[in-house]
Amino acid sequence: MQVKGPEFKAGYVSIVGRPNVGKSTLLNRLIDHKISIVTRKPQTTRWQIRGIKSTADYQVIFTDTPGYQNTHKDAMNRYMNREVINSLSHTDVVLFVVEALKWGRDDALVAEVLKEVSAPTVLVINKLDLHKEPAILLP
């Protein structure tokens, strides 16, 4: 990759959300490579996975994180939640992924965590294709 002058931009983007909302699928699509495991089984991603998208004008380092949740209180869940928090400490933008029409307790928990983050947050509504009337989200 050859970098072009002062217009070149680079930054970090953390992808966060509750388990099984499509964070890994989104990462794979954003970088045009399958680097993150995609399965229906929740909590498959257990640590941060980074993917890099580079062009002549920009470079974005995406961080796929485990699903943030408070349902289970075992050591593994505490570790995975720390992985999410750690990714937020050095990010430039947060992608908060939610499943269309399925807002739950864990989504609200993630939203509370994101209130403490200084980086801008973009809400990504995923799985719209599973609904016959996606326009219901407009109001």
Side-chain angles (χ1 to χ4, degrees):
M1 175 184 77
Q2 185 176 8
V3 177
K4 294 181 181 177
E7 300 85 30
F8 185 80
K9 303 287 184 197
Y12 290 88
V13 175
S14 290
I15 305 170
V16 301
R18 69 172 168 79
N20 236 29
V21 293
K23 297 177 300 295
S24 297
T25 301
L26 179 61
L27 171 67
N28 291 343
R29 294 297 300 262
L30 288 170
I31 66 167
D32 297 323
H33 285 78
K34 187 176 179 184
I35 64 164
S36 198
I37 298 171
V38 175
T39 178
R40 293 183 188 270
K41 183 178 183 236
Q43 298 297 84
T44 302
T45 302
R46 295 195 171 185
W47 52 84
Q48 297 176 18
I49 298 173
R50 289 190 182 84
I52 301 172
K53 177 76 173 184
S54 296
T55 71
D57 299 317
Y58 67 86
Q59 182 176 67
V60 181
I61 297 132
F62 293 98
T63 302
D64 181 16
T65 63
Y68 194 91
Q69 53 126 354
N70 208 14
T71 307
H72 306 287
K73 303 213 186 272
D74 59 12
M76 177 62 80
N77 186 66
R78 287 191 304 273
Y79 168 78
M80 290 189 289
N81 284 348
R82 275 194 310 273
E83 284 287 287
V84 176
I85 299 297
N86 289 341
S87 81
L88 296 173
S89 66
H90 62 270
T91 194
D92 297 308
V93 175
V94 177
L95 298 181
F96 177 20
V97 184
V98 298
E99 187 172 341
L101 302 175
K102 286 197 177 180
W103 183 266
R105 186 180 63 188
D106 286 332
D107 296 302
L109 181 65
V110 174
E112 285 299 314
V113 168
L114 292 177
K115 286 181 180 179
E116 305 299 319
V117 177
S118 60
T121 300
V122 177
L123 180 66
V124 178
I125 302 173
N126 199 12
K127 301 186 184 184
L128 280 170
D129 57 321
L130 300 178
H131 300 282
K132 292 181 181 181
E133 300 287 334
I136 196 169
L137 293 171
L138 294 178

